[in-house]
Amino acid sequence: MPAPTDPFFEPYDRDDIAYGDVPSAPLAAYLEQVDCGGRALDLGAGAGRDTIALARVGFHVTAVDLSPRGAQRIRQRAETAGVGGQVETCVANVCDHEIPPGAFDAICATTVLDHIPAEDARRVWKRMTAGLCAGGVLYVEVHSTEDPGSDRHPGIESDAPKSETADAVINYFAPNQLARWAVAEEAELRILRYEERLEWDYTHGPEHLHGKAILLAVKTGAHPAWYGQPAAFPRRKSG
């Protein structure tokens, strides 16, 4: 039986785990193109799709999520993938999780800043940006007001099907809000990719629509070998 404090027990307990095992596409493209390693933090790690991707390219990852069942599945999947020694799980509310300044080479937060109150999201964001070391990369994904579950325009007018876990989203991001956070001087970030889009989700429950804002950024002054997603004109491989 699910614990009352684990609202995601059932989605993460399924044989086909909610949200699947494929990492977020812009993050996956970055990990494929850029030499990676060091320490990574996956906030709101869920059942570990981004955690495992980070570990596979050489990061030692701390995966933080409120769901004890999600943490169990992350450990299982990490062992199966052969990266169990590179993954540590922490069952905690991201609002309470300390992020030491300059401690991480990569920080990932896929649909977590939208699951906490707006004022808490801003505080966690500031900890995240401060937690990146020189050259560090940041990946953030949030639900936007285009989402059918939103209580604001235009999502509130949408009659598209919404997610089975939509009730857990309490902070929908307005147009350009995440981008404005990223370009603020105190964030010390350089944007590699930013987009706001609609997407159909087939990974859990009945098919449903999402509105998303997606940010991939690095610390100011960092210039990794990023060719875009998909890669536009990468160097040809010899042989």
Side-chain angles (χ1 to χ4, degrees):
M1 293 294 291
T5 55
D6 189 347
F8 287 94
F9 182 96
E10 196 279 327
Y12 296 153
D13 192 54
R14 301 170 186 167
D15 289 338
D16 293 326
I17 300 174
Y19 312 112
D21 58 4
V22 178
S24 308
L27 177 63
Y30 183 90
L31 298 179
E32 181 179 352
Q33 295 176 34
V34 180
D35 290 336
C36 296
R39 295 183 63 196
L41 177 65
D42 190 1
L43 292 173
R49 60 177 183 156
D50 294 334
T51 295
I52 304 304
L54 289 162
R56 277 179 166 153
V57 298
F59 284 108
H60 289 265
V61 190
T62 300
V64 181
D65 198 276
L66 191 64
S67 170
R69 185 57 178 143
Q72 291 174 345
R73 301 309 296 270
I74 289 174
R75 291 192 293 271
Q76 292 169 357
R77 295 166 92 173
E79 290 295 335
T80 299
V83 293
Q86 293 168 233
V87 173
E88 174 189 0
T89 59
C90 176
V91 177
N93 188 318
V94 297
C95 298
D96 302 323
H97 187 75
E98 294 297 324
I99 304 175
F104 292 98
D105 301 275
I107 297 179
C108 179
T110 301
T111 59
V112 64
L113 296 179
D114 42 14
H115 283 67
I116 58 180
E119 58 274 19
D120 290 330
R122 191 72 169 128
R123 282 193 288 270
V124 173
W125 165 266
K126 290 180 178 179
R127 290 180 200 160
M128 288 164 53
T129 56
L132 281 177
C133 66
V137 61
L138 176 70
Y139 179 78
V140 181
E141 184 174 317
V142 294
H143 290 81
S144 73
T145 52
E146 289 189 288
D147 196 277
S150 172
D151 58 356
R152 286 180 282 169
H153 173 80
I156 195 170
E157 285 94 29
S158 174
D159 59 1
K162 62 182 182 180
S163 169
E164 62 177 342
T165 55
D167 290 346
V169 181
I170 60 174
N171 176 30
Y172 291 93
F173 277 62
N176 294 324
Q177 180 181 345
L178 186 58
R180 286 195 297 270
W181 285 11
V183 298
E185 184 175 356
E186 65 271 15
E188 298 184 327
L189 294 175
R190 185 170 75 88
I191 294 175
L192 298 183
R193 181 183 180 93
Y194 179 79
E195 65 179 337
E196 297 181 4
R197 69 181 187 221
L198 295 171
E199 61 181 41
W200 284 95
D201 190 339
Y202 317 101
T203 65
H204 65 107
E207 295 179 4
H208 52 277
L209 187 68
H210 283 307
K212 292 282 188 69
I214 295 96
L215 170 73
L216 178 69
V218 291
K219 269 293 195 181
T220 299
H223 298 276
W226 169 249
Y227 293 93
Q229 184 233 335
F233 294 97
R235 186 170 185 174
R236 292 175 176 175
K237 295 181 180 179
S238 59

